[in-house]
Amino acid sequence: EDKLQDQVGPTIKSLKDAGIKVWVLTGDKIETAINIGYSCELLTTELYQVVVDVTGEGRVEAELQRCRKELEARSTGALIISGASLTYALRETLRPLLLEVGDLCSVVLACRVSPKQKAEVVQLVREGKTNITTLSVGDGANDVNMITEAHIGIGIAGKEGQQAVRASDYAIGQFSFLRRLLFVHGREAYRRNSVLVCYNFYKNVLFVMPQFWFGCVSFFSGQPLYDPWIYQMYNIFYTSLPIVLYAIFDRQVANLDVLEQNPQLYKDGMTGRLFNTKVFWTWVSYACVQAAYIAIITFGFMESTGFQDTGRLAGLWTSGTVAYAAVVIVANWKLAHFSWAHYWFSVTAIFLSILLFFISIVIITNIKFTNLYCDLSLIMANPLTWMSFILILGLSVVFDMGLFREQIPKVGLKGERPDHEDEMGDSLESGFLPSIFSGYKKASSWDHTGYAFSAEMGHTPQLISRARGATYYAQSVVESRGSLSTR
């Protein structure tokens, strides 16, 4: 008797809770596939079901029209279609109608489908819905076409060989691992990369815009603001390492199980909440505003009042260097502010980046043929320099904590998740300075046969079955007894 893998039902339910639409492609009969759908929580008694099991292009079209009318009157439903009907539904004349009906459903269950039809279904969704990403999951050679057709392919190492694994982008040992792959690693990778892209634009706009504001008062003469000796080191030494460490090690919660247990948090990526046109231009506009008050404060302080007994004012290169220093401090402060996890090496990298700038200033001001020669006292010993830094950093704190708070990626905890906000808040790693490896538990080990469908005693809980396939649509994941495809 066939037996489902451990945690297949909860995994399917989590995928549906995350707003993922599930398309299942299997080689079973309709009756068998429906029974399996109920056992793995793919289908429920509350889910309205429409069945298409006819032949002939005209009859299939009529059935799909009927299904569309019935589903439009309901919030969601499940489409169950046979392989014979799918043959006609995948023709050019009916493809838009099939996709429209499937879009009205949260679950699509296709039965008695061939490997070629699996790939065609993935192609249908991929070409018809260009704004979404398809993910196919399979375990056998009959799933290879489906896996390679999707944007992302996942192979399950199982009894049917390694063909699916070799053709996939990622390989997992059992279907339940898909939940952690998506909700933990997928979501965190999306969050970190979204911030990585936006921050890199932000810090470069912040660096360049003071020169633009300076051009407004210098009649755009082309006079540079920064000393050429330190100009090229901004992205190489002063702001590079902290963002790299952030993109690799930052974690929004200390206990990653919280993300796995709350699939609704995955919707941030599906809706593009952390990376869209509005978010991007918010970062850019913030950098422009910040660069404006950096230029105003540094030039207003450094070139309006004399410091030495002679009353000598700071020159262009001195003022430009102070503005440069303010940009480095603010860019690194920004990174420290929106980071969720602070480890000893990430904090050290931020301070070393700022310290490296001042060390380079000390060196350059002692080189005779540089523009900053003998200007060290005008920069470091001038109290106006430090007053500028304090005022600029204070304004940055106000902007980060107040006006531009919604632009910071911490919005990921707001909105639709009031029931989990306290739990998420307790798990935050803000101020967490120990090693990143502390707090991890070593996973218990068990014997693993390498079979995806083994249910032998003492081995990893799996499912015993002949090959089946499944396709996930609209960032959905589907589980059939043999192969899966997710979208």
Side-chain angles (χ1 to χ4, degrees):
E1 182 180 354
D2 291 346
K3 189 175 182 179
L4 287 175
Q5 294 181 19
D6 186 32
Q7 296 296 311
V8 169
T11 301
I12 294 288
K13 185 178 184 301
S14 296
L15 296 172
K16 294 168 67 178
D17 291 343
I20 293 173
K21 290 188 178 181
V22 179
W23 286 41
V24 178
L25 309 179
T26 177
D28 289 319
K29 297 179 181 178
I30 290 180
E31 297 79 6
T32 307
I34 291 175
N35 291 333
I36 295 172
Y38 279 111
S39 64
C40 68
E41 301 183 41
L42 180 68
L43 300 175
T44 62
T45 55
E46 295 81 13
L47 197 63
Y48 182 76
Q49 300 175 17
V50 291
V51 180
V52 178
D53 186 17
V54 295
T55 57
E57 185 172 346
R59 297 180 63 191
V60 170
E61 182 179 8
E63 284 293 292
L64 289 175
Q65 295 282 6
R66 174 187 62 83
C67 294
R68 180 174 62 180
K69 292 180 181 179
E70 294 179 5
L71 291 169
E72 284 176 346
R74 294 168 173 82
S75 58
T76 185
L79 171 64
I80 302 171
I81 185 169
S82 65
S85 300
L86 193 62
T87 301
Y88 298 98
L90 288 173
R91 292 181 177 179
E92 288 297 326
T93 55
L94 296 184
R95 285 168 71 93
L97 179 58
L98 175 61
L99 185 59
E100 184 180 353
V101 174
D103 200 26
L104 295 171
C105 303
S106 61
V107 173
V108 174
L109 180 57
C111 313
R112 289 294 189 188
V113 295
S114 65
K116 183 175 181 293
Q117 287 178 318
K118 293 179 182 180
E120 288 177 344
V121 170
V122 177
Q123 183 184 42
L124 169 70
V125 176
R126 181 169 180 172
E127 294 179 354
K129 296 287 184 177
T130 56
N131 61 326
I132 59 175
T133 304
T134 54
L135 171 65
S136 295
V137 184
D139 75 302
N142 58 337
D143 304 315
V144 170
N145 292 340
M146 176 183 66
I147 289 173
T148 55
E149 184 64 37
H151 291 97
I152 302 171
I154 295 181
I156 300 178
K159 187 177 180 179
E160 297 189 36
Q162 302 296 314
Q163 291 94 331
V165 171
R166 288 196 293 267
S168 65
D169 300 298
Y170 300 92
I172 56 178
Q174 44 183 314
F175 180 72
S176 60
F177 296 165
L178 191 61
R179 178 166 55 180
R180 192 169 187 87
L181 182 64
L182 290 176
F183 299 154
V184 177
H185 302 294
R187 181 187 181 276
E188 285 295 272
Y190 163 76
R191 182 184 62 83
R192 291 193 297 261
N193 281 285
S194 297
V195 176
L196 171 67
V197 173
C198 291
Y199 176 77
N200 275 288
F201 277 96
Y202 159 82
K203 70 185 182 75
N204 281 283
V205 172
L206 181 67
F207 179 56
V208 172
M209 284 305 293
Q211 298 185 94
F212 171 79
W213 299 124
F214 172 70
C216 293
V217 298
S218 65
F219 302 100
F220 296 99
S221 62
Q223 170 64 44
L225 177 62
Y226 304 136
D227 183 84
W229 279 72
I230 57 175
Y231 186 86
Q232 299 298 333
M233 292 191 285
Y234 179 75
N235 283 310
I236 300 175
F237 297 112
Y238 306 147
T239 59
S240 59
L241 184 58
I243 187 60
V244 171
L245 296 178
Y246 169 88
I248 297 174
F249 297 108
D250 191 67
R251 290 164 52 179
Q252 195 170 26
V253 292
N255 182 9
L256 294 177
D257 291 338
V258 173
L259 299 177
E260 187 175 355
Q261 294 163 6
N262 295 277
Q264 65 270 27
L265 298 176
Y266 185 71
K267 293 180 181 179
D268 285 344
M270 297 178 63
T271 58
R273 187 178 186 183
L274 302 181
F275 189 73
N276 53 55
T277 303
K278 179 182 177 181
V279 170
F280 174 81
W281 286 110
T282 301
W283 280 84
V284 172
S285 61
Y286 178 37
C288 293
V289 172
Q290 211 167 20
Y293 67 68
I294 287 175
I296 293 171
I297 291 174
T298 53
F299 279 81
F301 275 33
M302 301 303 295
E303 298 192 11
S304 61
T305 305
F307 163 57
Q308 296 177 327
D309 294 338
T310 59
R312 176 187 172 188
L313 298 176
L316 168 65
W317 299 114
T318 303
S319 302
T321 303
V322 173
Y324 194 130
V327 168
V328 171
I329 293 172
V330 170
N332 282 280
W333 146 256
K334 178 71 173 178
L335 180 63
H337 175 69
F338 64 64
S339 296
W340 284 93
H342 296 287
Y343 307 108
W344 65 266
F345 50 83
S346 63
V347 175
T348 302
I350 290 174
F351 280 104
L352 283 179
S353 297
I354 298 174
L355 181 61
L356 185 60
F357 172 80
F358 288 100
I359 291 175
S360 62
I361 293 301
V362 172
I363 296 173
I364 291 172
T365 53
N366 286 281
I367 300 177
K368 290 185 177 180
F369 50 84
T370 63
N371 296 318
L372 295 174
Y373 179 61
C374 291
D375 278 359
L376 182 62
S377 61
L378 289 174
I379 299 173
M380 307 297 287
N382 192 340
L384 296 176
T385 299
W386 305 104
M387 289 178 62
S388 300
F389 293 160
I390 294 172
L391 182 56
I392 290 170
L393 190 56
L395 287 174
S396 300
V397 171
V398 171
F399 270 73
D400 284 339
M401 302 300 293
L403 297 179
F404 287 85
R405 187 175 181 181
E406 289 299 316
Q407 168 262 326
I408 298 172
K410 296 179 183 179
V411 296
L413 296 181
K414 300 178 182 178
E416 304 172 355
R417 299 172 285 279
D419 296 337
H420 308 287
E421 194 165 319
D422 293 338
E423 183 180 5
M424 294 287 287
D426 294 339
S427 302
L428 294 183
E429 277 192 304
S430 55
F432 181 69
L433 295 177
S435 168
I436 186 172
F437 300 105
S438 62
Y440 279 89
K441 293 182 180 180
K442 185 178 181 180
S444 58
S445 60
W446 53 63
D447 295 331
H448 197 298
T449 61
Y451 294 94
F453 304 127
S454 171
E456 299 178 26
M457 294 296 293
H459 295 283
T460 308
Q462 308 261 346
L463 83 81
I464 301 174
S465 151
R466 56 186 180 277
R468 296 180 173 85
T471 298
Y472 292 125
Y473 152 59
Q475 289 182 298
S476 39
V477 182
V478 180
E479 204 264 347
S480 76
R481 297 199 298 173
S483 57
L484 294 136
S485 171
T486 324
R487 177 151 204 219

